[in-house]
Amino acid sequence: FSFSWTNVWDCSSLEISFPISISETDLLEDAVSKEIKISDFAPDWICIPTKYENLTIDIIFNENAERVFEFNFNEINIINNTKPYTISPYTQKISLTLSGDRKTLFSLKNEDIKPYIDLKNITRGYKTLNVFIPTISNIKLKETKTVSVQVK
């Protein structure tokens, strides 16, 4: 967050930037208020009148959001492995970006996602397979994610 301060006597201005800490529980709310003590971030030579010392910032969140979940390959479920094949991944870590309802999205844990690959009609060899997620109300996989594997 940043704001500008303009001196009315000589029209000089100063922009002050400072971080605002947002927790995951904040993201479950429609809006939050954060109080900032300006002198903690302003240069020492700036004299801030007491009545302006504290600044309250109201943050209103969008209804939709995106969130990235990280998985190791061994956390990806394999379905329809009827032969049964041995699957050797070329990538051990998989990042899935989910989008949708912010409150739902930030209440999810990794174990709620349950990503999987489907081996239906698969043959041996080097394959690039799509990663899917089961239906989660108001949540979707932002983009198709693939994983490269060897099917033996």
Side-chain angles (χ1 to χ4, degrees):
F1 180 78
S2 66
F3 72 95
S4 296
W5 185 292
T6 303
N7 184 331
V8 293
W9 291 283
D10 67 3
C11 294
S12 63
S13 65
L14 171 70
E15 184 171 307
I16 300 173
S17 297
F18 44 88
I20 297 176
S21 178
I22 304 292
S23 70
E24 285 196 18
T25 55
D26 288 339
L27 293 168
L28 297 174
E29 303 296 330
D30 292 326
V32 294
S33 289
K34 297 290 181 173
E35 191 162 302
I36 304 295
K37 187 174 181 180
I38 296 173
S39 63
D40 288 347
F41 301 97
D44 292 338
W45 53 268
I46 298 278
C47 180
I48 300 169
T50 304
K51 70 179 186 176
Y52 298 114
E53 173 65 24
N54 294 315
L55 175 68
T56 300
I57 300 169
D58 293 322
I59 303 167
I60 301 170
F61 297 111
N62 291 330
E63 287 186 24
N64 291 314
E66 292 180 0
R67 185 172 172 203
V68 177
F69 291 85
E70 300 280 335
F71 297 92
N72 291 318
F73 185 81
N74 63 354
E75 296 174 290
I76 306 297
N77 294 313
I78 298 172
I79 65 168
N80 295 318
N81 190 5
T82 56
K83 296 292 182 206
Y85 290 123
T86 300
I87 308 300
S88 301
Y90 291 104
T91 306
Q92 291 300 319
K93 294 224 179 256
I94 299 164
S95 297
L96 299 178
T97 303
L98 276 56
S99 63
D101 178 71
R102 179 182 42 79
K103 287 183 180 180
T104 303
L105 199 56
F106 284 93
S107 68
L108 293 173
K109 298 175 188 70
N110 265 37
E111 53 270 15
D112 298 326
I113 309 300
K114 298 181 177 44
Y116 65 93
I117 57 175
D118 190 349
L119 298 185
K120 186 175 185 179
N121 300 324
I122 203 81
T123 57
R124 292 187 198 301
Y126 298 97
K127 308 291 178 186
T128 300
L129 304 172
N130 288 339
V131 178
F132 301 96
I133 62 168
T135 301
I136 301 171
S137 182
N138 300 317
I139 300 296
K140 65 180 183 177
L141 195 54
K142 183 179 176 193
E143 56 195 31
T144 302
K145 189 67 175 185
T146 59
V147 61
S148 296
V149 298
Q150 182 178 9
V151 180
K152 302 178 198 173

